[in-house]
Amino acid sequence: MDPIVELEDVTRIYRKGDSEIASLNHVTLRIEPGEFIALMGPSGSGKTTLLNLLAGLDSPTSGKIRVCGQDLAEHSARELARWRADHIGFVFQSFNLLPVLTARQNVELPLTLQSLSRDERRAHAEAALRVVGLEDRMDHRPSEMSGGQEQRVAIARALACDPMLLVADEPTGDLDAKSAQEVMQLMKRLNEGFGKTIIIVTHDPHVAEFARRELHLEKGVLHMERRR
């Protein structure tokens, strides 16, 4: 089976005035379908840069990236936007829900980029909300939900297009310990029960324990790997 993520000698350099900063430095990485990865490292280590490259939101200075069978360098910005909508689900620390919309409407919103009828979008959204255990909150707005419930809506939104890869950037950062535990139990169930490939950026070792494999970045270099 082909890897879902393959990086070959990837470097990303940013210019700041006359200086060059290597956010990622000659990173080589292979992630197989169905893996659950925790990406760890101090602030500024390159974690978010790596996620942005995997999602086609940024381009490497050098090296090659293949994600979900696609060489991302071969696609235009318009093609990458369509590819992301079909293949990548995003979960963020801030839930990024629209306060005037219900949970169902928030989950439906990204589905408007796909060729689905209104009834099909509604069915997809409701199925995703059932997966995350919010079938009784579909018509509630974010202000009527707890932080943990809001993040589960955000996860449902990421799942609604049935992505091949789910990427989460500090998804428990704004949650209390109980809600964080519930969200990570959900992530584990999505990986083990639904076979979703998940990459999660976190500073929290308790969150990382849910993953099957830990990757550690420091100053743009992949330093350590641990498997469970």
Side-chain angles (χ1 to χ4, degrees):
M1 185 179 295
D2 291 335
I4 198 164
V5 169
E6 195 167 19
L7 278 70
E8 183 180 339
D9 199 27
V10 168
T11 293
R12 181 61 171 104
I13 294 174
Y14 295 99
R15 296 187 181 277
K16 189 174 184 180
D18 295 330
S19 302
E20 290 187 345
I21 300 171
S23 184
L24 287 179
N25 198 355
H26 299 287
V27 171
T28 294
L29 175 63
R30 181 183 173 111
I31 297 174
E32 305 295 339
E35 286 204 78
F36 189 168
I37 306 290
L39 184 59
M40 304 189 75
S43 296
S45 62
K47 302 185 302 297
T48 298
T49 297
L50 179 54
L51 284 193
N52 288 340
L53 290 172
L54 296 182
L57 295 168
D58 196 2
S59 301
T61 305
S62 62
K64 295 182 179 180
I65 301 176
R66 289 182 63 84
V67 182
C68 303
Q70 299 292 314
D71 184 340
L72 301 191
E74 295 178 351
H75 296 278
S76 67
R78 185 185 183 95
E79 290 169 338
L80 283 173
R82 168 60 63 182
W83 172 83
R84 276 192 298 273
D86 291 339
H87 294 89
I88 310 293
F90 296 92
V91 182
F92 304 97
Q93 178 174 342
S94 54
F95 317 128
N96 292 342
L97 302 179
L98 294 180
V100 298
L101 300 183
T102 65
R104 182 192 290 106
Q105 290 168 335
N106 268 287
V107 175
E108 279 187 47
L109 194 59
L111 295 174
T112 58
L113 297 174
Q114 298 189 331
S115 300
L116 298 172
S117 68
R118 182 177 179 180
D119 287 344
E120 287 172 328
R121 290 198 302 270
R122 184 184 180 97
H124 279 246
E126 292 181 353
L129 286 164
R130 282 193 293 271
V131 167
V132 302
L134 289 178
E135 56 270 21
D136 60 340
R137 291 290 187 270
M138 292 188 186
D139 296 317
H140 287 63
R141 289 181 170 79
S143 61
E144 301 171 310
M145 293 182 283
S146 68
Q149 289 171 335
E150 287 185 86
Q151 189 60 293
R152 281 192 279 159
V153 173
I155 293 170
R157 181 181 57 196
L159 290 174
C161 66
D162 194 21
M164 294 179 67
L165 177 63
L166 189 64
V167 295
D169 196 354
E170 296 284 359
T172 63
D174 287 345
L175 302 178
D176 59 52
K178 181 176 181 295
S179 295
Q181 181 81 2
E182 291 173 350
V183 164
M184 291 312 302
Q185 289 286 1
L186 172 58
M187 289 285 195
K188 184 177 181 180
R189 183 163 65 90
L190 292 173
N191 173 251
E192 295 180 351
F194 292 84
K196 291 298 178 186
T197 306
I198 300 174
I199 303 174
I200 182 170
V201 165
T202 182
H203 288 94
D204 188 341
H206 297 295
V207 169
E209 288 176 359
F210 283 88
R212 299 181 184 180
R213 182 179 169 202
E214 286 182 28
L215 303 175
H216 289 253
L217 277 170
E218 189 169 344
K219 295 182 179 178
V221 177
L222 195 57
H223 274 287
M224 186 177 77
E225 180 173 328
R226 180 184 303 157
R227 292 180 182 268
R228 291 189 176 84

